[in-house]
């Protein structure tokens, strides 16, 4: 036997390489095990949220003299934990605008959106029956839900038939391109579960008299922020919709106010979301700008719309007995900036 040859015919270099790989694997496994064994719980919770686990139940943060029911809010957070969080539902409100509705549905359903599980058209025309339900060419069910009343609150109702925690609130005249919508959803999963997350920003600022003024935000120095993402193009967690629709005192007043003025449900949902989460909204831009048809007969085109919205902000401030909106300056945008 030639003693100069290694046992089993294994060459020295190959033996060293195999040994190095085994040691590296063992070391990596030890680091991972150590991380999950010794990392503080709060960091593990943060990591869990990042990969799609439902967030932990929290009480209502303190906001001025606001007094809400922690019991109701806790129920709103816990009752939807069994819904899927890796898919989303579109809730699209419409009222007698068939062209805008059909154009928007066609644009959204013309391409496959991997995480989209259902489109629910909230049909607020109580006098006329909606079209029949159907399935898109990519297998996405489109369900028409006939509202019992023409109310802007209908879009924010937590439909018991929803199968997902993420609800993309949409109007019938505005949409992200399909690939961008998937990106916005994945961004919501990672960073926006406790935020209104979308592409349509607005602001509420102090005016010279100490009140609040609703506006379209500004990029001027010292004013480059936003504190609302409107629900015409936004993801929200269904628990916020549940609390909005609950029998707690302030949400009940808000829904009555929205029905009386036929306006400002989107502002109200921003108030509630920031109040309950203690976090501001999140602006997310896709690779392409979102599409807006700007219809001639929309609510926002009526005279005095801005003044009416300003009144809503001030009235909500009085209802909540505090200002829960939180200014944000950052945004997330699809793509890479090469410098």
């Amino acid at each position: 036997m030639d003693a100069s040859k290694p046992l089993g015919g294994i060459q020295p270099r190959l033996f060293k390489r195999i040994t190095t790989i085994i040691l590296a694997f063992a070391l990596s496994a030890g680091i991972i095990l150590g991380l999950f064994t010794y990392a503080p719980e709060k960091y593990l919770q943060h990591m869990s949220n990042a990969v799609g686990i439902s967030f932990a139940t929290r009480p209502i943060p303190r906001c001025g003299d606001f007094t809400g029911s922690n019991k109701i809010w806790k129920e709103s957070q816990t009752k939807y934990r069994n819904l899927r969080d890796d898919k989303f539902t579109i809730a699209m409100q419409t009222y007698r605008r068939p062209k805008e509705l059909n154009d928007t549905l066609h644009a959204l359903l013309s391409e496959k959106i991997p995480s989209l599980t259902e489109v629910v058209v909230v049909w607020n025309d109580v006098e006329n029956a909606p079209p029949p339900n159907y399935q898109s060419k990519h297998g996405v069910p489109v369900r028409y839900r006939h509202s019992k009343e023409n109310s802007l609150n209908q879009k924010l109702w937590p439909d018991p038939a929803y199968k997902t925690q993420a609800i993309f609130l949409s109007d019938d005249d505005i949409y992200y391109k399909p690939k961008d919508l998937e990106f916005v959803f994945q961004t919501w999963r990672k960073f926006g579960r406790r935020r209104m997350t979308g592409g349509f920003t607005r602001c509420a600022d102090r005016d010279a008299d100490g009140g609040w003024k609703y506006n379209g935000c500004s990029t001027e120095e010292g004013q480059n922020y936003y504190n609302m993402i409107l629900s015409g193009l936004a993801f929200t967690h269904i628990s916020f919709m549940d609390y909005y629709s609950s029998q707690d005192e302030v949400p009940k007043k808000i829904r009555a106010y929205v029905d009386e003025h036929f306006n400002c449900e989107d502002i109200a949902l921003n108030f509630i979301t920031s109040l309950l989460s203690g976090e501001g909204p999140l602006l997310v831009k896709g690779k392409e700008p979102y599409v807006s048809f700007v219809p001639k007969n929309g609510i926002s085109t009526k005279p005095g719309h801005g003044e009416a919205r300003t009144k809503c902000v001030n009235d909500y401030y009085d209802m909540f007995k505090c200002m829960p909106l939180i200014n944000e300056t950052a945004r997330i945008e699809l793509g890479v900036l090469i410098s």
Side-chain angles (χ1 to χ4, degrees):
M1 179 178 179
D2 187 353
S4 65
K5 292 184 179 180
L7 294 175
I10 299 177
Q11 298 299 320
R13 289 184 179 178
L14 180 59
F15 180 77
K16 289 181 180 179
R17 186 174 298 173
I18 293 173
T19 303
T20 301
I21 292 172
I22 292 173
L23 288 173
F25 178 81
L27 180 61
S28 299
I31 291 172
I32 293 172
L33 179 62
L35 174 63
F36 281 91
T37 303
Y38 300 109
E41 183 178 351
K42 64 180 181 179
Y43 293 114
L44 293 180
Q45 178 63 39
H46 177 72
M47 291 168 63
S48 296
N49 285 345
V51 296
I53 305 300
S54 298
F55 51 70
T57 302
R58 296 181 183 177
I60 300 174
R62 183 171 180 80
C63 180
D65 294 326
F66 176 83
T67 54
S69 170
N70 276 307
K71 180 177 182 294
I72 292 176
W73 172 225
K74 183 178 180 179
E75 290 173 352
S76 295
Q77 294 175 88
T78 56
K79 68 171 66 172
Y80 300 105
R81 286 181 171 175
N82 292 330
L83 298 185
R84 298 191 65 163
D85 78 331
D86 60 339
K87 300 285 185 179
F88 72 92
T89 302
I90 294 177
M92 182 182 299
Q93 188 161 259
T94 188
Y95 180 81
R96 297 183 180 179
R97 295 199 299 204
K99 183 181 186 307
E100 288 86 351
L101 173 64
N102 291 332
D103 287 350
T104 298
L105 287 174
H106 175 75
L108 287 171
L109 299 173
S110 61
E111 299 179 32
K112 183 175 178 60
I113 303 176
S115 301
L116 176 60
T117 190
E118 183 185 30
V119 177
V120 177
V121 179
V122 183
W123 186 269
N124 273 6
D125 185 353
V126 296
E127 297 176 0
N128 297 296
N133 300 339
Y134 68 96
Q135 194 170 75
S136 77
K137 64 181 181 181
H138 297 293
V140 176
V142 178
R143 171 167 61 94
Y144 289 85
R145 193 180 78 209
H146 201 175
S147 302
K148 295 180 180 179
E149 57 181 335
N150 181 20
S151 168
L152 297 175
N153 291 315
Q154 289 294 316
K155 185 170 70 171
L156 305 185
W157 179 59
D159 190 333
Y162 285 155
K163 301 178 178 66
T164 64
Q165 296 180 31
I167 308 297
F168 183 69
L169 302 170
S170 173
D171 289 341
D172 58 10
D173 57 359
I174 187 171
Y175 61 88
Y176 282 110
K177 295 294 183 65
K179 289 185 176 63
D180 289 338
L181 182 55
E182 177 69 22
F183 167 74
V184 178
F185 169 62
Q186 297 301 338
T187 302
W188 176 88
R189 290 189 75 207
K190 294 176 182 177
F191 308 110
R193 290 170 179 265
R194 294 183 177 274
R195 305 171 185 265
M196 291 290 290
T197 300
F200 200 6
T201 59
R202 286 295 182 266
C203 288
D205 299 317
R206 284 285 193 185
D207 60 24
D209 298 324
W212 296 92
K213 184 176 181 180
Y214 175 88
N215 63 84
C217 304
S218 171
T219 57
E220 294 181 6
E221 187 175 353
Q223 295 181 312
N224 192 15
Y225 58 84
Y226 60 97
N227 48 34
M228 287 183 278
I229 294 288
L230 299 189
S231 59
L233 194 73
F235 277 99
T236 187
H237 194 281
I238 192 172
S239 61
F240 296 119
M241 297 167 61
D242 190 85
Y243 184 79
Y244 178 94
S245 303
S246 74
Q247 294 304 304
D248 209 355
E249 181 181 356
V250 172
K252 284 173 64 177
K253 289 181 179 179
I254 285 174
R255 295 196 305 275
Y257 184 96
V258 168
D259 283 338
E260 178 184 354
H261 297 273
F262 208 78
N263 204 342
C264 300
E265 84 292 349
D266 47 0
I267 297 175
L269 187 60
N270 275 274
F271 266 68
I272 280 179
T273 302
S274 289
L275 171 82
L276 297 175
S277 68
E279 298 182 17
L282 178 61
L283 172 62
V284 184
K285 292 188 173 185
K287 189 173 183 179
E288 299 182 60
Y290 62 76
V291 178
S292 177
F293 297 130
V294 191
K296 296 179 180 179
N297 60 340
I299 294 174
S300 62
T301 63
K302 295 180 179 179
H305 176 71
E307 291 78 5
R309 304 277 280 182
T310 289
K311 185 177 187 308
C312 290
V313 172
N314 284 282
D315 289 344
Y316 290 161
Y317 175 77
D318 292 338
M319 288 184 199
F320 281 83
K321 301 177 182 178
C322 71
M323 172 48 76
L325 298 181
I326 297 172
N327 294 341
E328 295 288 356
T329 57
R331 70 173 187 263
I332 296 177
E333 188 168 348
L334 177 60
V336 178
L337 294 177
I338 300 176
S339 58

